[in-house]
């Protein structure tokens, strides 16, 4: 069975004199059950306030109660790699982006400029103000790589084009661009990212979503593409010739992409999409992970922990990966489509798939992270990307890492943030000798601006809560200029 041992240690919040209380309780249950247990035991709120989970201390040994090294208050240490001019620019952009009207009206502004065919003008305005360069790494792979080479972080290159097509030539063009990105990233970038929907007609993803409920994940491990198509085709009514051909082309494109990923040793992760696509994407991930993740986590899946079903899905994937001896690469996020998901659920009259409260989402996320950290620290075949802009989740994870040293972190644990967001955390992670990763979006201006707008809208709450980061920037600028 899946094991999640979670004796908990709570750090009280007085910075001048932190007193440590030990809560020792071991949960030997899957992630999905631990979430409920934590909530029912009223331990969930502690996760949000500097909790540290620690494997059981061997008999006769004292627990490590030293002050944590990870500190987000020392601006001089955090920003020691950053020029003053960059600090000033970051402060201006974060302040500007924190206004609600920026995220509220930016979609309408982009639409107006697009209808008037003035996207180049809008781009120049964004570029001149520094906003575009703060969040986007240019319009080509080479410009993105030039930018990543100037930054101290590990990098994820993401071709961030927000479009869908059924044209095979366009889909093959996207595939080629992803392959070129991997080729050019060789030795210069660590990860790439893509969406399944960028390589196929969404119609086949929707069809898979209906059929995979009758195809257990364990049954597709080790199967060929032809066998997978046959299993899908034999579930319910036979696929139309178009859908069968579309599925075959998708599997072929993914094979080509992942073959290049392993060959160049540039890991890749599959971005999450909406719930009406996501179970099919999970299914495809496990099909290919069992084929390509035998020696390392070259392919990562994205798990959206704001979904009520994700903990159970993650448990199932962990079990199958363990049973069939391949690596599970997990990129854990809270989620990106909440407004769209809830609107669709309301219109289609089905239960809301999102957790009822923000606290439930925090609980779900932190519980999953803790369980996965434990597995990584023990050397199980799990790799983890903690993709979060939440200071408390990152601090909790870092307290675990500090209290539980492991040689497996270097290769199998990463903390990721978007370019231009939560930089104070990224720099602080670097100073603590863990793998800090930045996602660098790139692409043609006309097509990336919608991505930038969506990201700002998704992170509206985060952008409005950058007071702490802005205060750190002001503190460091004042220290440098006034002494």
């Amino acid at each position: 069975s899946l094991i999640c041992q979670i004796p908990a240690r709570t750090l009280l919040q007085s910075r001048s004199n932190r007193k440590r209380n030990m809560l020792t309780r071991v949960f030997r249950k899957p992630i999905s059950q631990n979430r409920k247990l934590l909530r029912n035991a009223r331990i969930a709120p502690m996760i949000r306030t500097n909790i540290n989970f620690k494997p059981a201390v061997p008999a006769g040994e004292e627990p490590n109660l030293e002050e944590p090294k990870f500190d987000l208050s020392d601006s001089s240490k955090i920003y020691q790699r950053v020029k003053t001019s960059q600090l000033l620019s970051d402060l201006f952009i974060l302040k500007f982006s924190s206004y609600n009207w920026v995220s509220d009206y930016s979609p309408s502004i982009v639409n107006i400029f697009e209808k008037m065919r003035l996207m180049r003008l809008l781009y120049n305005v964004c570029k001149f103000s520094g906003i575009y360069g703060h969040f986007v790494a240019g319009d080509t792979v080479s410009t993105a790589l030039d930018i990543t080479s100037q930054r101290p972080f590990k990098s994820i290159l993401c071709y961030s084009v927000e479009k869908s097509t059924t044209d095979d030539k366009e889909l093959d063009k996207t595939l080629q661009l992803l392959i070129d990105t991997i080729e050019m990233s060789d030795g210069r970038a660590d990860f790439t990212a893509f969406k399944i929907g960028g390589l196929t007609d969404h119609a086949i993803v929707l069809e898979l979503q209906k059929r995979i409920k009758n195809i257990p994940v364990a049954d597709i491990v080790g199967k060929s593409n032809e066998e997978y198509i046959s299993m899908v085709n034999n579930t319910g009514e036979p696929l139309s010739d178009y859908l069968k051909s579309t599925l075959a082309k998708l599997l072929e494109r993914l094979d080509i992409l992942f073959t290049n990923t392993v060959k160049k040793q540039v890991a890749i992760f599959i971005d999450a999409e909406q719930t009406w696509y996501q179970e099919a994407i999970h299914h495809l991930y496990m099909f290919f992970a069992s084929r390509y993740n035998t020696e390392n986590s070259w392919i990562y899946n994205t798990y959206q922990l704001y979904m009520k079903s994700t903990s159970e899905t993650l448990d199932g994937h962990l079990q199958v990966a363990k049973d069939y001896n391949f690596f599970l690469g997990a990129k854990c996020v809270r989620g990106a489509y909440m407004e769209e998901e809830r609107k669709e659920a309301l219109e289609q009259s089905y239960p809301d798939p999102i957790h009822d409260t923000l606290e439930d989402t925090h609980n779900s996320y932190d519980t999953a992270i803790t369980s996965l950290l434990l597995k990584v620290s023990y050397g199980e075949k799990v790799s983890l990307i903690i993709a979060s802009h939440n200071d408390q989740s990152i601090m909790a994870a870092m307290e675990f890492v500090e209290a539980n040293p492991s040689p497996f972190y270097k290769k199998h644990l990463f903390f990721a943030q978007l370019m231009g967001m939560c930089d104070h955390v990224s720099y602080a992670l670097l100073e603590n000798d863990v793998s800090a990763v930045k996602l660098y979006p790139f692409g043609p201006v006309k097509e990336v601006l919608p991505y930038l707008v969506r990201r700002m809208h998704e992170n509206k709450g985060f952008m409005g809560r950058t007071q702490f980061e802005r205060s750190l920037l002001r503190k460091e600028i004042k220290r440098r200029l006034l002494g």
Side-chain angles (χ1 to χ4, degrees), residues 1 18 63 89 142 151 280 302 376 413 458 469 478:
S1 63
R18 287 186 173 184
S89 174
S142 57
R151 309 288 176 92
T302 301
V376 172
L413 175 63
E458 286 169 8
E469 184 173 1
K478 183 178 179 180

Side-chain angles (χ1 to χ4, degrees), residues 267-319:
I268 192 167
F269 61 76
I270 302 172
D271 269 332
E273 299 189 41
Q274 295 88 340
T275 48
W276 42 95
Y277 302 126
Q278 194 55 52
E279 290 306 314
I281 293 168
H282 285 324
H283 210 252
L284 288 167
Y285 167 75
M286 292 299 285
F287 176 63
F288 284 102
S290 66
R291 184 180 299 176
Y292 290 98
N293 281 3
T294 54
E295 302 296 329
N296 191 21
S297 294
W298 296 116
I299 312 170
Y300 285 76
N301 192 27
T302 301
Y303 296 92
Q304 301 184 98
L305 273 307
Y306 73 168
M307 307 294 299
K308 295 174 182 176
S309 62
T310 301
S311 294
E312 188 174 346
T313 298
L314 181 54
D315 278 331
H317 289 186
L318 286 164
Q319 188 64 63

Side-chain angles (χ1 to χ4, degrees), residues 7-171:
R9 180 179 71 180
T10 306
L11 308 181
L12 300 182
Q13 295 197 358
S14 170
R15 280 198 171 277
S16 59
N17 182 22
R18 287 186 173 184
K19 297 180 180 180
R20 314 291 177 89
N21 288 344
M22 294 297 294
L23 295 174
T24 54
R25 185 174 182 183
V26 179
F27 302 117
R28 304 180 67 86
K29 292 179 180 291
I31 294 169
S32 53
Q33 294 179 38
N34 270 326
R35 178 171 55 78
K36 296 173 184 176
L37 225 161
L38 282 169
R39 184 179 66 241
N40 294 338
R42 298 185 180 276
I43 296 177
M46 301 175 189
I47 298 176
R48 312 300 316 142
T49 54
N50 294 333
I51 196 169
N52 177 54
F53 296 99
K54 190 180 192 316
V57 178
E61 291 188 18
E62 290 295 320
N64 178 8
L65 295 179
E66 295 178 1
E67 284 293 325
K69 299 175 184 177
F70 185 69
D71 184 9
L72 290 177
S73 64
D74 189 347
S75 63
S76 61
K77 183 178 179 181
I78 290 173
Y79 293 120
Q80 61 181 305
R81 304 167 186 255
V82 188
K83 295 179 180 179
T84 303
S85 58
Q86 186 62 51
L87 295 178
L88 289 164
S89 174
D90 290 351
L91 180 58
F92 164 74
I93 291 166
L94 285 178
K95 180 60 178 177
F96 176 76
S97 302
S98 68
Y99 294 117
N100 285 337
W101 64 265
V102 174
S103 58
D104 288 341
Y105 295 110
S106 52
S108 300
I109 293 170
V110 169
N111 288 336
I112 290 170
F113 273 80
E114 190 169 12
K115 288 178 181 178
M116 296 175 66
R117 299 184 179 180
L118 293 174
M119 290 297 284
R120 177 56 62 177
L121 174 61
L122 181 59
Y123 164 69
N124 288 333
V125 170
C126 292
K127 183 177 180 181
F128 178 75
S129 65
I131 295 173
Y132 188 81
H134 187 82
F135 296 108
V136 180
D139 55 357
T140 65
V141 180
S142 57
T143 55
L145 285 169
D146 288 342
I147 289 173
T148 62
S149 65
Q150 299 169 23
R151 309 288 176 92
F153 312 109
K154 290 182 179 293
S155 56
I156 304 166
L157 290 185
C158 179
Y159 181 60
S160 302
V161 173
E162 301 277 305
K163 65 178 183 180
S164 179
T165 180
T166 60
D167 185 341
D168 277 336
K169 289 184 179 179
E170 287 296 317
L171 295 169

